[in-house]
Amino acid sequence: MGEKSVDRASLKMLKKASDEGIGTAWDRLEKQEPQCGFGLLGICCRNCNMGPCRIDPFEEEPGKGVCGATADIIAARNLLRMIAAGAAAHSDHGRDVVTTLYAAAQGEVQGYQIKDEAKLHALAAEFGVVAEGRSKEEIARDLAREAMEEFGMVKERLQFLNRAPEKRRAVWEKLGIAPRGIDREIVEALHRTHMGVDNDYTNITLHGGRTGLSDGWGGSMFATEFSDILFGTPRPVRGKSNLGVLKEDQVNIVVHGHEPILSEIIVLAARDEELLAVAREKGARGINVCGMCCTGNELLMRHGVPIAGNFLQQELALVTGAVEAMVVDVQCVMPALAQVAKCYHTKIISTSPKAKFPGVEHVSFEEHSALEIAKRIVRMAVENYPSRKQELVQIPDEEMEYMSGFSVEAILQALGGTLNPLLDAVKAGRIKGIAAIVGCNNPKTTQDRGHLTLTRELIKNDCLVVQTGCAAIACAKAGLLLPEAAAEAGPGLRAVCEALQVPPVLHMGSCVDISRILVAASAVANALGVDISDLPAVGAAPEWMSEKAVSIGTYVVGSGVLTVLGTVPPVLGGKNLVELLTKGARDVLGAAFAVEEDPSKAAALILEHIAAKRQALGLEP
Ligand code: SF4
Ligand code: MSK
């Protein structure tokens, strides 16, 4: 195994973990090695009980499963199931936000309000909900009902598809992949991959495109837009990042997972005077709520709440010995946390009925008594403060300021209310192109190295970088989310950033907020009168690991944007499938996948692609 991380705080905590005999994801990966070759190639199948079957890629005569499934069929089915799981995760998150808005509009929940009325009205107009002469609650209730319809099968097309350029919609219609209903595409994906249903790898993969699009232009977009209505549309805000944000003299609560519904209320509860008084009684100077992964991103985008780290730092935060409670909801929460927490005083508190963990205390969260439950959780953390084992406390001093909050609305505001300054900079070549760098950490590759190397190479070459998820947290920790980072950018991008007082790397939010990037890309394409696939724009996920990332990559390619993956997806055993994903897709979608594990080479590939797109648009390369 190579270097584990480029993040000094992580390296310090890895050393502490090793000294204290605590295993982490890196150790467990080592124990898994060599990982199953069939699994890595995506050619094992256990979709029925005639199997499990696996295809030997080295046999002269191509092998088949008991039912006759070829390597391409098996790899395509496995890929579709990954896309469906990822789309389901994002979309179920979206559904929870929709139902919370509905309940808030009905006055059935505590602590939630409609914070962004302008967005509520804009969406009402988009969905044909009458707003005139009605209260915001009435509008929100009808809007939420409209959104609920988008999950089922009443409609034949998702409403948000209309945000895409006309040319892109025509591509989807021609291919028959315009999503009809969010749940419907996910269910159909499971149906198609059942034994003996869809056995054409191209047809299976096309439905993968439709399922992915139902996430990006459906479930994720609902999560983003409805969170904005409930919690406010992000505006530029500053805060601090990395494990150094944990405080030695305060009660530290780390909120981890994905949904802002609980964490927003935890932030509120932590300001409660009564609980602050209890904290002081217990000897703490205050209550410090920090984020982790995308729950953290949701909070930092809206409130500048400190973020303790990205995916591979969840265990390391506990290793500091200074976390009273880690409150988790859904997605990207390692079951290993329960084991690591046992070595310290930390309480792991699960909150979603959908996500329980053996050996972990569960406090079921539900919106109707949200504030009460949040206060109960904060109290549990506060009361745990005296149990800290002082001799085990070591908080790394790494801490870095960031600037985040770049929603599409905030970017427009920074540009003076119109896209023109951005378009002019792109046309004049001051900004060569735009790269969306997103996704996770993965112990198979050095933590944060892919994100940082790729980002630095691209900004140095005058590409504006937009980010979400753990990629954005990596850049926050490295200081790349500050306007001062423009010093690392090429002369054109630097001048633009200095004029606008923005960083060369814009943090646009959590994983579901990639939908913001789709909206921005559509706006740029519409302004130029072209398709998204004509833009000098690229997507990249240098350290991805989750099924959600597979869904994201699929809808980004489906939206017309080349997507470069830094860790190898489990499809290589299906040779024709690989051809389809990396080449064939280009002919029909105007975009395809590429895989490049070396981030410097990935940067070169991206720059070449951007130059070619510029040339095709008649711009200087
Ligand atoms: Fe084997 Fe076919 Fe059953 Fe898969 S569906 S386990 S390939 S028999
Ligand atoms: S949290 S999906 S590890 S980006 Fe969105 Fe990070 Fe990936 Fe989870």
Side-chain angles (χ1 to χ4, degrees), residues 479-546:
L480 289 168
L481 302 190
L482 291 168
E484 298 83 305
E488 290 197 45
L493 177 61
R494 189 187 322 154
V496 174
C497 293
E498 283 170 359
L500 299 172
Q501 280 299 297
V502 296
V505 183
L506 302 180
H507 188 339
M508 293 187 75
S510 66
C511 296
V512 291
D513 291 336
I514 295 171
S515 62
R516 297 190 200 277
I517 302 177
L518 295 179
V519 171
S522 298
V524 173
N526 283 334
L528 294 172
V530 298
D531 191 357
I532 296 175
S533 57
D534 298 319
L535 299 176
V538 180
E543 304 179 27
W544 75 274
M545 63 85 199
S546 76

Side-chain angles (χ1 to χ4, degrees), residues 45-48 50-51 53 65-67 69 74 77 195:
C45 178
R46 46 176 191 77
N47 290 10
C48 87
M50 291 190 284
C53 303
V66 176
C67 66
I74 292 174
R77 282 197 307 220
M195 187 266 147

Side-chain angles (χ1 to χ4, degrees), residues 126-172:
E126 201 172 344
F127 281 80
V129 171
V130 178
E132 223 184 293
R134 303 178 77 203
S135 71
K136 60 182 180 183
E137 286 76 19
E138 284 170 323
I139 302 168
R141 191 195 55 212
D142 286 2
L143 178 63
R145 277 207 194 117
E146 284 292 327
M148 288 169 189
E149 298 280 17
E150 302 270 328
F151 284 82
M153 53 177 282
V154 172
K155 295 191 166 179
E156 271 300 308
R157 289 287 174 274
L158 297 187
Q159 179 65 34
F160 283 141
L161 298 186
N162 294 322
R163 293 178 167 192
E166 208 178 313
K167 287 182 181 166
R168 185 57 17 194
R169 278 182 276 146
V171 169
W172 295 334

